[in-house]
Amino acid sequence: MIRAQFTLDSNQRITSFKMTGHADSGPYGQDIVCAAVSALSISTVNGLEQVVHTKPHLKQDNDNGGFLEVTGLDLGHDSQILLKTFLNGLCDIQESYPQNIEVKMFN
């Protein structure tokens, strides 16, 4: 199961997120939950860097996969739009595949 954890500040802005685990919803290369989550997370990080021009801090396991931690997020309006869109997308996936992804928010 993919576990996504978002940390929010007192103004409900996303300050960090971490994703761990594997969806295991299908064979390697055919796992649609993994593909969807990967596309959303990569697009979000790329958007923060290339569109909003911020530089979040990334920790990831490039060899084994299944781990991404993003901290040092910009609290500005544009960054938060991307991050909340990412969170909404993961929540939508969770609704359809609750056995493969769990999304939690912490204050």
Side-chain angles (χ1 to χ4, degrees), residues 6-57:
F6 287 79
T7 304
L8 301 120
D9 69 8
S10 60
N11 293 316
Q12 301 303 300
R13 294 176 296 191
I14 298 170
T15 60
S16 67
F17 67 87
K18 178 169 65 171
M19 298 184 353
T20 60
H22 295 278
D24 296 322
S25 71
Y28 181 79
Q30 298 176 14
D31 188 329
I32 62 171
V33 175
C34 176
V37 170
S38 294
L40 284 174
S41 61
I42 292 166
S43 293
T44 299
V45 171
N46 286 345
L48 290 167
E49 292 177 344
Q50 298 171 13
V51 178
V52 183
H53 305 290
T54 65
K55 187 68 176 155
H57 305 286

